[in-house]
Amino acid sequence: MYPMEPDAVYVHETVWRHGRYRAGVERVLGALERPVAPIEFRDDDIPEMVRGGLLRGRGAMGCRREVRDPILLFNTFRFDRRRAERLAWLKGQGIETGDADMLLGYGAFRWANYNQDGDPNRQDKVCRPCWRIHLQKGCLHRCMYCGLGGILGAMVNVDEYAVHLRTLVERHPWQLTYLLDDDADPPGLEPELGSLGELIEFFGTLENRYLIIHTKTWNTAWLEGLRHNGNTILVWSLSGPTQSRAIEPRAGTTEQRIEAARIAQEAGYTIRYKFKPIIPVRGWREEAAETVELLFRRTRPDVISLCCFMWMSVDEMKRRLPVETLDPDALAAAEGAVDRMKDTRAMPFPPEMRQAIYEHHLAEIRRWNADVPVSLSTENFAMWREMSARLGYGPTDYPCGCGPMTVPGAPRLTCHPFRDAVRNDRGEIPGVW
Ligand code: SF4
């Protein structure tokens, strides 16, 4: 487990009164750097907890004068179909927050409608519709561009969760991989908590269905010995030495992430990398070359994805990141492209800058490996038009690092990822939203 010193630990009554769930929390408590007396809470206590500052640490970490380890909050998912009613109750108490699901025990399985009706970024972001699954929200890594610090909520009733997840999996034969926690970094509390190992072993019982864990962790030694049956894929967000140390300060360093991937690979897991987000710091070309060399010397990923830093204005980027670490030319390119970039989520770096970054990474990868599939991640369609010939894939057939149809071996897709992804829960599976 990560060394950590949370200011408080909250434990929902449904966790504290259940022997096995409580045992996991007690192991976490026992591994903290300094003792913290856990606070048991009930749903009725939540409004007061929020008013007392429970969520005070949320918000972009690069903008805060001080970032502390997150408060830990342990809870259970409710599968009682009362989500709307309970969210309305919390709102009626004057609490409006994006963390409401986590606080009330909802949000286990989320339909991501990317590139389908209702997706506001449909023309602007190549990502695939699928079910995303969740156990945690929040993170220990303190990435300066991220807002998921302050509190780490962890749901612990994986036994109950797996019952409903099995139904979801059976209803969606087209979805072969399930990305866990796109708003957390799941290994941080393991192996003490035990939830992630339990989920890995659940996937190990399935036929041709895979769990995907996307992470920046150094913490994988505990994965050895789990009955994963080859059905868990670990995807590292990888960055060069400067970015990993100066901007992602509590995540694994470049070297630690690659070593963690090597350990997982030796334990039989499929491993992948995403250079994401690529922040063009001073010396980014050399650092990309170094990182690519190291990853191929140590590991054998089955796919590598590329994605520049994006989804915010240049002013917001300058608020969050240490500007002195950025490559001056890249920063000038972003500052000079504000008008051109205002209509795309791919801001702030203009397309010629992003393309140069992708071409450089691709060339470095090809120096070491002629065959590994390389794809773009969450880029826009215009960038795919520029890069398709070089990558050898288009936006609908590339193997993606995190699914939902890219199984180990990362084959080219033969189905249509936008059209063949059909939601089939029909309101009958508890825990969906
Ligand atoms: S690892 Fe991911 S979730 Fe954690 S702080 Fe960094 S960006 Fe946020």
Side-chain angles (χ1 to χ4, degrees), residues 375-414:
S375 55
L376 304 179
S377 175
T378 53
E379 255 292 354
N380 61 21
F381 286 91
M383 183 56 66
W384 268 103
R385 280 193 290 277
E386 295 301 325
M387 290 294 296
S388 281
R390 285 179 193 78
L391 295 170
Y393 297 101
T396 56
D397 71 354
Y398 70 91
C400 173
C402 63
M405 293 147 173
T406 302
V407 295
R412 182 186 297 275
L413 257 55
T414 51

Side-chain angles (χ1 to χ4, degrees), residues 146-166:
C146 178
L148 286 166
I151 182 167
L152 167 51
M155 305 294 179
V156 299
N157 51 335
V158 178
D159 48 351
E160 214 181 337
Y161 178 90
V163 170
H164 301 294
L165 178 55
R166 183 184 293 279

Side-chain angles (χ1 to χ4, degrees), residues 61 139 141-143 145-146 148 183-185 216:
M61 284 180 270
C139 185
H141 283 157
R142 305 190 185 184
C143 300
Y145 45 80
C146 178
L148 286 166
D183 44 11
D185 198 297
K216 295 188 181 95

Side-chain angles (χ1 to χ4, degrees), residues 17 41 61 80 114 140 193 210 222 232 245 247 263 292 308 337 341 355 378 384 394 404 413 419:
R17 291 171 192 190
F41 73 100
M61 284 180 270
D80 57 9
Y114 303 139
L140 292 150
L193 186 59
Y210 303 88
W222 62 276
T232 291
R245 286 169 170 82
I247 299 177
I263 290 170
V292 167
C308 276
M341 299 302 291
Q355 188 174 339
T378 53
W384 268 103
L413 257 55
R419 289 200 292 265

Side-chain angles (χ1 to χ4, degrees), residues 12 41-52 54-55 73 75 78 86 89-90 93 95 97 99-105:
H12 192 265
F41 73 100
R42 297 174 304 132
D43 287 354
D44 285 349
D45 299 324
I46 292 170
E48 211 39 55
M49 286 158 58
V50 174
R51 282 191 278 271
L54 182 71
L55 306 177
L73 183 143
N75 205 345
R78 321 296 153 75
R86 299 300 291 152
W89 169 77
L90 192 60
Q93 299 290 315
I95 307 295
T97 165
D99 287 309
D101 278 313
M102 176 186 85
L103 297 173
L104 290 168

Side-chain angles (χ1 to χ4, degrees), residues 142 144 240-249 281 322 325:
R142 305 190 185 184
M144 297 178 80
T242 299
Q243 180 177 330
S244 71
R245 286 169 170 82
I247 299 177
E248 298 157 350
V281 296
T325 64

